[in-house]
Amino acid sequence: MLSNLNNTFSKELPADKDLSNTRKQVLNACFSYVLPSKTAKPQLLHVSEEMLLAIGISKEEASSEDFLKIFTGNTVLENTHPYAMCYGGHQFGNWAGQLGDGRAINLFEINYNNKQWALQLKGAGETPYSRTADGLAVLRSSVREHLCSEAMFHLGVPTTRSLSLSLSGDQVMRDIMYDGNPAYEKGAIVCRLAPSFIRFGNFEILASRNDLATLKTLTDYTINHFYPDITSEGKQKYLDLLVAIRDKTIDMIVHWQRVGFVHGVMNTDNMSILGLTIDYGPYGWLEGYDHGFTPNTTDRQHKRYRFGNQGYIGMWNLYKLANALYGLIDEVEPLQEILDEYEKLYTQKYNAMFFEKLGLFSSDDLPVSLLTDLEKNLHLTETDYIIFFRTLAEISKNDTSETAFSKITNAFYTSDNFPETVKTTWLNWFSNYLSLLSSETLSDEERKDKMNLVNPKYVLRNYMAQLAIEEADNGNYNLIDELYQLLKKPYSEQPENEKWFAKRPEWARNKIGCSMLSCSS
Ligand code: AMP
Ligand code: MG
C-alpha cells in the first residue's frame, strides 16, 4: 500500500530547527516537524472510494488495520516526516500574527497517475501552532468536512478532498456556543488531500517578519510545483503568480455563488493559493436566497463573510497577498493593476454564470438588469435557491408569465399570504425573461438539460449534515454514506432520493448546527 511517496515541501523549504513540540514563534522556517498523537481507540467510519482510487489504495487495503493506523496518525510510515506548516493570517479583517497548522499534520505527498497529492490529518493532536487549543477535532465538524469536500468536488467546485473519516476514541471538550457550557464530544480525524495546502497566510507571515529570503524560497517553490505554466523571470514571475491566484480565486467564488455555498470564515489563512475551497468550518448553504446570510455565529454581528460579500472579500484577501509579495517586487503599480482588474473580471464571470443558470446561452448581449431584478425578487419572500433554479428549467418558451410563475411558486417557503405586489413584480420579471428565452436557439428540452448541469438538484443542506451527525453521535453511520452517495451525482435526477430535494424543514430554521454554526469544532 502507498508507493511513490514524496516530501517536496519539507525537502525544499526551510524547517524549524527546534524540534520540540512546544508552542512558539517559528522564525526563518516554513514548517515544524511534529508527530501525530496516538489515539485511544481509532475506528474508521467512512472512506471516499474515489480518493482511494486516486491514490492507488484498494478497498481491501482500506479495511486493513494498517490503513486505520496510518490515517489516524497511530502509525507513521517509514521514511516519512510529518510536519505542521507555519502561516499567519488576517482574521475578520485584522492581522492575527502567527497561526499555523494548529491541528493539521501533514503526513506525506504521493504521486499517483501523474498527480501529486499532499495528505494531511486534521485533528491529530498538538503542534507548535496549537496556541491555546488542543489540536483535536470533534465528530460533528469532521463529518461536515468529509461530506462537504466530496460533495463540492462533484458539484464542480474547486476544493480540497477528503479520504477518510475516523473516530479517535478520545473525548474532546468543546463549548459549542461559547456560553460557558462545555461538554465532551467524540473526537475524530479526517484525512484530507490537495495538491498543496499552502495558503495566503504562508506568505503573509514571512513578509510580516521581513524574512525575504524564505519568502522568495516559498514563492519559487509554489511557482515551480503548482504553476509550471509561469515561465517568466525575475519580478514578472511573481506578478504572474498573483494574476494566476487572482483568477483562480475568482473562479472559486463564482462557483460558490452558483451553488449557494457560504464559506463562513474567509480569513486569509483559509485562502488556498490554488483557489481551492479549504477549511470547512462554520460553512453553510443558502436555503432561502439571502445575500445577508452568514452561517457563522462569530460573524453574526458584522456579517463580514455573508453570502453577498464573498466576491468582495476575495479581493480584500488578494490585497493582503499582494502586500506580502510586495517584498519580492518592490513596486506598487504593477500589483495595483492586477488588483484593479479583479472587480471587472469577477463581475464578468459572475454575470456569465448567472445567465447560464437562467438558461440564456445564445446571446452575448444580455441585460444585466434581468439579473439584478431577479436578485431583488428572490429576496421579496423567502425563496429556496436550489429549488427555484432547478424548477426554472421546467419553463417553456411558450409559457405565459402567469404559467411560468406558477411553476416556481413551490420554491417559496410560504406560498400563500404574500402581497399581490410580490406576484406583480414576479410577473413583470417573467415577462422580460420569457422574451429573452424566445430568442434562444435551443429547444426547451435541450435548454433544460444544459441548465440542469449548472443548477444542482442536491446539495448538502445544513440540516442534512446535522441529521447525519446526530445519527453518527448515536453510533449509526449509514446516513453518512447515504449522503455521500447522493451527493456524488448532484445534477442527476435520482427519483429514489426525491426526499432530499426539499425545502429546509421548519425544525431546522433556527437550530444550532443547521442555520447557525459555531467556529468551535
Ligand atoms: P480556522 O479559522 O478554524 O481555520 O482556524 C484558525 C487557526 O486556529 C488555525 O491556525 C488553526 O490551526 C487553529 N485551530 C483551530 N482549531 C484548533 C484546535 N482545536 N487546536 C489547535 N489549533 C486550532
Ligand atoms: Mg483554518
Side-chain angles (χ1 to χ4, degrees), residues 66-97:
D66 278 353
F67 181 94
L68 173 68
K69 285 191 171 158
I70 295 167
F71 293 111
T72 51
N74 287 288
T75 295
V76 172
L77 282 177
E78 246 178 64
N79 298 322
T80 65
H81 309 282
Y83 62 89
M85 286 187 191
C86 179
Y87 54 79
H90 280 83
Q91 299 187 312
F92 296 95
N94 303 305
W95 174 241

Side-chain angles (χ1 to χ4, degrees), residues 128-146:
Y129 309 96
S130 297
R131 297 180 293 151
T132 55
D134 55 12
L136 304 175
V138 295
L139 179 58
R140 118 182 98 75
S141 62
S142 306
V143 167
R144 284 168 48 83
E145 174 137 18
H146 179 67

Side-chain angles (χ1 to χ4, degrees), residues 87 91 99-103 130-131 133-136 174 269-270 279:
Y87 54 79
Q91 299 187 312
L99 299 166
D101 285 333
R103 55 162 167 185
S130 297
R131 297 180 293 151
D134 55 12
L136 304 175
R174 287 289 180 268
D269 52 304
N270 291 337
D279 277 10

Side-chain angles (χ1 to χ4, degrees), residues 59-197:
K59 274 196 186 170
E60 294 69 50
E61 287 168 330
S63 44
S64 69
E65 196 62 17
D66 278 353
F67 181 94
L68 173 68
K69 285 191 171 158
I70 295 167
F71 293 111
T72 51
N74 287 288
T75 295
V76 172
L77 282 177
E78 246 178 64
N79 298 322
T80 65
H81 309 282
Y83 62 89
M85 286 187 191
C86 179
Y87 54 79
H90 280 83
Q91 299 187 312
F92 296 95
N94 303 305
W95 174 241
Q98 179 182 298
L99 299 166
D101 285 333
R103 55 162 167 185
I105 297 182
N106 298 273
L107 295 180
F108 45 78
E109 295 157 13
I110 185 166
N111 217 301
Y112 192 77
N113 271 344
N114 293 322
K115 266 202 171 161
Q116 166 110 347
W117 295 100
L119 283 81
Q120 127 175 149
L121 301 180
K122 187 163 173 182
E126 293 176 324
T127 78
Y129 309 96
S130 297
R131 297 180 293 151
T132 55
D134 55 12
L136 304 175
V138 295
L139 179 58
R140 118 182 98 75
S141 62
S142 306
V143 167
R144 284 168 48 83
E145 174 137 18
H146 179 67
L147 281 179
C148 200
S149 311
E150 294 304 283
M152 290 283 267
F153 171 76
H154 292 291
L155 283 164
V157 185
T159 177
T160 60
R161 303 293 301 271
S162 180
L163 174 70
S164 59
L165 165 70
S166 307
L167 285 173
S168 62
D170 295 310
Q171 295 288 305
V172 175
M173 179 81 90
R174 287 289 180 268
D175 185 0
I176 301 193
M177 292 321 290
Y178 303 111
D179 59 359
N181 288 305
Y184 278 112
E185 299 184 44
K186 293 180 187 176
I189 297 172
V190 160
C191 176
R192 58 184 185 177
L193 306 87
S196 168
F197 288 98

Side-chain angles (χ1 to χ4, degrees), residues 354 357-358 374 378 385-393 455:
F354 234 93
K357 283 180 83 66
L358 289 170
L374 173 62
L378 289 168
Y385 187 44
I386 295 296
I387 296 179
F388 178 85
F389 278 96
R390 192 72 184 185
T391 318
L392 202 66
N455 299 317

